[in-house]
Amino acid sequence: MTRTTTTGRRRRMAVVATVVVVTVWGAGGGVAGADDPPGSTSSSAPPAIDSSSPGLMLPDGATLAAAKVLDIKQIVEEEGGEQRREDTNVDVTFALQAEVLFAKNSAKLSPDATARIRAIAGEVRTQGSGRVRVFGFTDNLGTYEHGLKLSKERAVAVQQVLARELDPGTSYDIRGYSEDYPIADNRTEEGRKKNRRVEISFPRTVPPPAAP
């Protein structure tokens, strides 16, 4: 993983370019559905693996679970972490920290938030995506029930801006997950800040941008 700082918008970028074969029990890949948790696995078929190969060095009696292939992922994050973009071969995900969208414990969008969401809507149009997922998340402070309500209200607020910018035929999956699916450590304020976010994701039709 590499991190560089550029001039202009001063973005911090981390690039992960690894195809991983995961030998765990579980379902196959494909684009995540409306009821699936955040994240997705590749639509590519996993490679054939000879379970009897001595190179695997399996202990006696051990067997391999079904393999799945994870997508190559490229992540670009603004210097302060306010906005992060994740590109895979399957979809595009934007994560916006709650602080740049809302006041504390509020679901009312700020003027700056509207501009950011409109810019993301432009990327949805570029991809020609007809389906968008908008998921809200909180940290683990306060009650879980309050987090569910607030995260859903924030996701709805973001979706309403997208709906004004996108084709009327666009379909939306809107979820509030409260403190579930953290992306950072909730034991620190820095981690909690990253976890308080709204994610906008949609299928990819245009190849991912080349890494600088």
Side-chain angles (χ1 to χ4, degrees), residues 80-82 97-100 102-105 138-142 154 182-197:
E82 291 87 356
Q97 286 187 5
E99 276 76 0
V100 303
F102 310 98
K104 185 177 181 180
N105 283 325
T138 62
D139 57 29
N140 65 347
L141 300 181
R154 287 176 167 179
I183 59 174
D185 190 347
N186 268 316
R187 292 175 297 180
T188 68
E189 176 52 30
E190 181 181 1
R192 290 191 294 269
K193 186 176 181 181
K194 288 180 177 292
N195 292 332
R196 298 189 295 264
R197 68 197 190 279

Side-chain angles (χ1 to χ4, degrees), residues 48-158:
I49 300 175
D50 181 4
S51 59
S52 63
S53 172
L56 292 175
M57 294 184 291
L58 294 174
D60 291 340
T63 59
L64 287 178
K68 61 182 178 180
V69 179
L70 301 184
D71 273 314
I72 295 174
K73 180 181 292 187
Q74 176 176 300
I75 302 174
V76 179
E77 186 177 82
E78 289 186 2
E79 178 67 22
E82 291 87 356
Q83 182 169 316
R84 185 181 74 254
R85 171 176 175 155
E86 296 184 5
D87 285 270
T88 74
N89 296 329
V90 175
D91 54 25
V92 181
T93 300
F94 285 89
L96 296 166
Q97 286 187 5
E99 276 76 0
V100 303
L101 299 176
F102 310 98
K104 185 177 181 180
N105 283 325
S106 171
K108 183 178 180 179
L109 290 165
S110 67
D112 180 61
T114 301
R116 286 180 178 269
I117 298 166
R118 285 175 175 168
I120 294 173
E123 181 62 23
V124 178
R125 289 192 296 269
T126 296
Q127 294 292 337
S129 301
R131 183 177 182 180
V132 179
R133 302 197 303 170
V134 187
F135 294 162
F137 305 85
T138 62
D139 57 29
N140 65 347
L141 300 181
T143 66
Y144 184 82
E145 291 72 20
H146 174 71
L148 280 177
K149 181 176 183 291
L150 181 61
S151 59
K152 177 65 177 294
E153 289 176 345
R154 287 176 167 179
V156 169
V158 171

